[in-house]
Amino acid sequence: MPKTFVDAIYTAKRLGVQYLWIDSLCIVQDLESDWHRQSAQMDKIYSHSFCNLAAAGARDSTEGFWFKRAPEMVDPGFVSASWLGLDRGRYSLIQRFFWQDLLRHAPVNRRAWVLQERLLAPRVVHFCCRQVAWECQELRACESFQAGIPDYACANEIHFKSLDVQRISKDPRATKYDYASQHIWKQVIEAYTQARLTFRSDKLIALSGIASRIQQDAGSEYMAGLWRSSLPQSLLWRIRGVEESQYRPAPYLAPSWSWLSVEGEICFPEPGGTLEASFIDGRVDLFDENSTGNVTGGFVRLKGRLIPAGCVEGRGQFEILTVPKADIDSWRNISQKNGPEYSLIFWDEHDLNLKPPLTAIFALPICSHDYRDGIPCVLGLVLQQTEQAKNGAQFRRLGLFRIQGKDLVTLLADYPCREVDII
């Protein structure tokens, strides 16, 4: 039996726990029907557990929980300070990203499947290379800081035990998918897409447990990685950076409007602004009875200003978006006046800008807000009309655009609103 399994059994006995769940032992391997049945229950398996034991420092099941270390390095460093403007006293020294370095970059947390285990279990004990850490809804701690990790040492790190919608909402009575819930979900997506999967076909299933938990608590309909009540704003995702790994894998995973349809690290713009489009309807076609599992198709229907557009040569990932209309000079003047970032496209696939000129391209503004010095900025989707389109109303997503300019909103108002389906 692998060392990690042996260590888990030993630890469970020391904790006085009689039963132990290990995925690779409790799910019948190479039996797809059992895998689908059990994966749909992951939210219950982990959320109803007593505690999750994470071999955080182990690269595989042969390395176990315990590692050789220097115990004296666990104690935090202290200094006595008497600097001008600082209260005289004894201060601890700690890295700003201490918690992130200890856990996020741990080998086990680079696996996408592990994210839902960490989020859903009520308690987690992390056996890291340097020390043991603890997470629950009340406390994040480790051997160095047994009373709790200082907040400033958890900079930019999601509190993984705060998934409960009622806990994260400003209103303790709230049970809807509100702003606080959206913020947590976006952090989950960003953490999830930074991790890796052995099989790309697991992409929806490995997130299914977390989605089931939010759907149960918040009551919003889950739609292939997004939530009905957050549309159309949540369509404004993009892939961070420029990577050759950015592409839509085959076979089909999700509709083009879903971040689950692409490979790459996903990020979102800051929330807020004025909506320039509205969500009318949408549907996903499920693979089986699991409403948060695999899908075979789907669409969202939006109502907004569909603007014929084109792309001209830019710089790598960032292409310039142009709008072929009578007063195109007005657009070019905006670009020249407000800098080279006036008009950018963030492609969903890295090689789209290397292909022959794209045809049937449209821009669909989703929201607008004031950028720098009060200059309007518009974010929206770059769409391509499909060959199967009926009445010219069916499109697929190619990327995200950002345009900024003084007279931008006035120019957009020249285009009538219409309904479009994105698949």
Side-chain angles (χ1 to χ4, degrees):
M1 183 176 289
K3 188 175 186 303
T4 298
F5 295 4
V6 174
D7 288 350
I9 293 170
Y10 170 79
T11 304
K13 291 181 67 176
R14 289 293 302 270
L15 292 173
V17 178
Q18 186 176 1
Y19 299 101
L20 183 67
W21 171 279
I22 299 176
D23 287 351
S24 58
L25 295 182
C26 298
I27 300 176
V28 180
Q29 302 299 294
D30 301 323
L31 183 60
E32 188 172 352
S33 60
D34 190 58
W35 183 85
H36 280 289
R37 182 167 55 253
Q38 299 295 347
S39 62
Q41 301 295 318
M42 283 302 175
D43 63 314
K44 299 179 180 64
I45 291 170
Y46 288 108
S47 62
H48 293 165
S49 68
F50 170 71
C51 182
N52 188 59
L53 304 176
R59 290 169 294 183
D60 55 48
S61 62
T62 67
E63 294 190 341
F65 285 1
W66 317 109
F67 299 88
K68 291 182 179 180
R69 62 178 187 173
E72 63 274 11
M73 298 301 294
V74 171
D75 295 332
F78 290 91
V79 295
S80 295
S82 58
W83 302 322
L84 184 64
L86 184 68
D87 292 339
R88 184 185 298 271
R90 194 165 177 257
Y91 293 86
S92 64
L93 297 176
I94 184 172
Q95 294 174 287
R96 183 182 179 190
F97 300 102
F98 172 84
W99 189 246
Q100 180 174 320
D101 291 340
L102 183 65
L103 289 182
R104 180 183 286 192
H105 302 308
V108 74
N109 290 323
R110 296 172 191 158
R111 295 173 49 221
W113 270 103
V114 172
L115 181 64
Q116 65 178 359
E117 301 175 17
R118 185 179 176 189
L119 272 166
L120 296 174
R123 308 166 190 86
V124 183
V125 181
H126 302 274
F127 296 90
C128 306
C129 293
R130 303 193 302 271
Q131 57 182 299
V132 177
W134 168 269
E135 278 185 298
C136 67
Q137 288 192 344
E138 300 297 330
L139 184 69
R140 290 186 286 190
C142 63
E143 293 176 78
S144 296
F145 298 92
Q146 297 177 24
I149 307 292
D151 289 340
Y152 56 79
C154 302
N156 301 323
E157 183 69 8
I158 178 176
H159 187 351
F160 277 89
K161 308 313 299 172
S162 61
L163 187 62
D164 189 328
V165 173
Q166 293 185 9
R167 289 179 60 89
I168 62 180
S169 176
K170 295 179 180 179
D171 181 355
R173 298 167 299 176
T175 56
K176 63 182 182 301
Y177 185 78
D178 57 6
Y179 169 78
S181 309
Q182 292 180 43
H183 179 66
I184 288 291
W185 181 247
K186 289 176 181 179
Q187 287 184 296
V188 168
I189 292 173
E190 291 180 9
Y192 184 69
T193 55
Q194 289 173 17
R196 66 177 186 272
L197 285 165
T198 303
F199 302 103
R200 294 190 183 94
S201 57
D202 292 349
K203 194 166 187 179
L204 282 85
I205 293 295
L207 195 63
S208 176
I210 302 173
S212 295
R213 172 66 180 277
I214 294 182
Q215 186 166 248
Q216 176 184 342
D217 290 349
S220 182
E221 181 184 350
Y222 183 70
M223 298 179 64
L226 301 175
W227 299 92
R228 177 181 284 266
S229 57
S230 72
L231 297 172
Q233 298 97 319
S234 59
L235 295 172
L236 297 175
W237 54 266
R238 69 174 178 88
I239 298 178
R240 190 191 305 275
V242 182
E243 301 179 9
E244 291 188 0
S245 59
Q246 293 176 205
Y247 66 100
R248 282 194 166 85
Y252 181 92
L253 287 180
S256 68
W257 45 264
S258 169
W259 59 270
L260 286 164
S261 68
V262 299
E263 292 294 315
E265 183 180 334
I266 300 299
C267 63
F268 291 85
E270 290 296 321
T274 302
L275 283 179
E276 301 291 341
S278 58
F279 173 71
I280 303 299
D281 194 11
R283 187 192 70 240
V284 291
D285 303 318
L286 302 175
F287 175 78
D288 53 27
E289 296 180 354
N290 183 2
S291 63
T292 58
N294 291 335
V295 301
T296 58
F299 76 96
V300 292
R301 180 169 298 149
L302 305 180
K303 185 174 183 179
R305 304 181 189 282
L306 191 67
I307 304 171
C311 303
V312 298
E313 186 176 355
R315 299 168 295 174
Q317 174 78 350
F318 308 107
E319 297 292 302
I320 306 302
L321 183 71
T322 62
V323 180
K325 55 180 294 184
D327 55 353
I328 185 63
D329 289 338
S330 298
W331 290 76
R332 288 175 178 162
N333 290 337
I334 293 173
S335 176
Q336 294 169 1
K337 184 174 182 179
N338 295 306
E341 290 189 347
Y342 141 75
S343 173
L344 304 177
I345 298 179
F346 303 88
W347 295 111
D348 292 344
E349 300 178 72
H350 83 281
D351 62 345
L352 278 176
N353 57 341
L354 303 178
K355 294 179 179 179
L358 297 169
T359 57
I361 302 299
F362 294 84
L364 180 66
I366 299 296
C367 75
S368 62
H369 61 88
D370 287 342
Y371 191 53
R372 298 169 183 167
D373 300 324
I375 297 175
C377 176
V378 173
L379 292 172
L381 305 181
V382 181
L383 304 176
Q384 184 175 42
Q385 191 171 13
T386 66
E387 295 180 358
Q388 295 80 20
K390 294 180 180 180
N391 301 322
Q394 188 183 82
F395 302 84
R396 69 182 184 99
R397 172 180 160 140
L398 296 183
L400 177 76
F401 75 81
R402 184 182 74 192
I403 299 178
Q404 61 193 70
K406 182 178 178 181
D407 301 318
L408 188 55
V409 175
T410 302
L411 292 171
L412 293 180
D414 291 345
Y415 295 89
C417 289
R418 57 174 292 189
E419 291 187 3
V420 297
D421 287 356
I422 308 173
I423 61 172

